[in-house]
Amino acid sequence: MSGSSLPSSLLTQGGSSLLFSSSNQVTESNFRLVVTPGKRSLVRCLAKKKISFVDQILDYIEGGPKLRKWYGAPELLPKDGSSSEEDDEAEEQVEDALDGEKTTVFVTDGDSDVGQMIILQLIVKGTRVKALVKDKRKAMEAFGAYVELTSGDASDERFLRKAFRGVGAIISPTEGFLSNVKSLKGVKHAVLLSQLSVYESSGGIEAMMNSKAKKLAEGDEKAVISSNVPYTIIRTGKLENSPGGNQGFNFSAGAAAKGSLSKEDAARICIEALSVIPPTGLIFEVSNGEEAVSDWEGQLMKLMQRQSQNK
């Protein structure tokens, strides 16, 4: 109908209404119209459903929605999201048989700023992602089918067995999860983002305000160190909302207590840490600074070597 006059008509199907005179011109061709004779020209335009912003980005990057399944969209669960105990047992047997093929990354606190940044960067890398969230509906609107969402209590062993199915690595960007987990069985690498150095260096009223977070951070570090799972603890400076990628880094002793780190940079370091699994564990401090890093795998190997020399 592009370029033609609309006859006096009334649309009979649902949608938002727009009033036109019979001389109005219509140039938009992406609408579906159903009309019946009438005295006034009432036109209701139904545009095609828009896909989410994340879907648009990923379709652009990866060449279209046909590649989404490859790109990390998980298999769909039953409508109620549940599974029977028989299914649980069968899946555990399959998981044990395919233990070496665990490629999913589990992100705790996917509702947090850093958690969301980590998830988005993992999606762009084509990594399968599971995320622990408080608000599934909001997270689904943000990430769509690219992330398998789960909600539950970290101290619930049955919940964790299901949540950790297929998981090879865990990234914990905030305090309080790992200290509640009784077992990380099956997990091959745990990455913990810790602000313990920041909490320990605070004083006065700030120290009182950080006391709970400090205890949680201490508990998380103790739990991951005693888990018998290879771990990387990234002790950061104070996390800031500044853009990432604009500054270098400082890995020197005391950097975390004195400096700050962009949340975007913190998210990136967590993901880069997945590329190097320490024999036992790696702990290092980092803040924004002057040192440029182009080879993160090499940088992490240097940090492991420095740690072994200092023991």
Side-chain angles (χ1 to χ4, degrees), residues 64-238:
K66 290 183 180 179
L67 294 179
R68 289 183 191 170
K69 186 172 182 179
W70 171 87
Y71 202 61
E75 297 294 332
L76 295 177
L77 291 172
K79 290 183 179 179
D80 62 357
S82 63
S83 58
S84 65
E85 291 186 7
E86 291 81 2
D87 291 338
D88 292 345
E89 292 176 2
E91 289 182 17
E92 284 179 10
Q93 291 175 2
V94 171
E95 183 181 2
D96 290 339
L98 301 176
D99 186 61
E101 299 182 15
K102 295 180 179 180
T103 57
T104 300
V105 176
F106 186 89
V107 180
T108 72
D109 199 0
D111 305 282
S112 67
D113 289 345
V114 179
Q116 291 180 51
M117 293 173 188
I118 290 170
I119 290 170
L120 284 173
Q121 292 186 41
L122 287 171
I123 291 173
V124 172
K125 287 174 68 70
T127 305
R128 291 184 66 91
V129 185
K130 285 186 180 181
L132 180 67
V133 297
K134 299 180 182 69
D135 190 335
K136 274 190 174 183
R137 177 173 294 184
K138 185 176 179 180
M140 179 62 73
E141 291 174 355
F143 305 117
Y146 299 103
V147 179
E148 185 176 345
L149 303 171
T150 184
S151 297
D153 184 354
S155 62
D156 184 337
E157 293 186 39
R158 186 170 184 270
F159 162 72
L160 285 181
R161 282 199 304 271
K162 294 174 68 176
F164 288 169
R165 231 170 254 153
V167 170
I170 291 177
I171 299 178
S172 186
T174 56
E175 303 90 6
F177 176 80
L178 291 172
S179 56
N180 286 317
V181 175
K182 295 180 180 178
S183 172
L184 293 177
K185 179 184 177 182
V187 176
K188 300 181 182 300
H189 189 192
V191 177
L192 171 62
L193 193 69
S194 173
Q195 291 194 83
L196 182 58
S197 297
V198 176
Y199 303 143
E200 288 179 338
S201 63
S202 61
I205 296 177
E206 188 178 13
M208 294 176 61
M209 294 176 62
N210 290 336
S211 61
K212 182 177 179 180
K214 179 184 174 184
K215 288 181 180 179
L216 291 174
E218 289 172 338
D220 283 352
E221 289 201 11
K222 182 179 179 180
V224 76
I225 290 171
S226 61
S227 67
N228 295 320
V229 171
Y231 62 85
T232 301
I233 297 176
I234 306 165
R235 289 180 178 165
T236 73
K238 184 178 180 181

Side-chain angles (χ1 to χ4, degrees), residues 15-26:
S16 300
S17 298
L18 298 174
L19 187 63
F20 293 88
S21 69
S22 61
S23 62
N24 283 124
Q25 302 294 312
V26 179

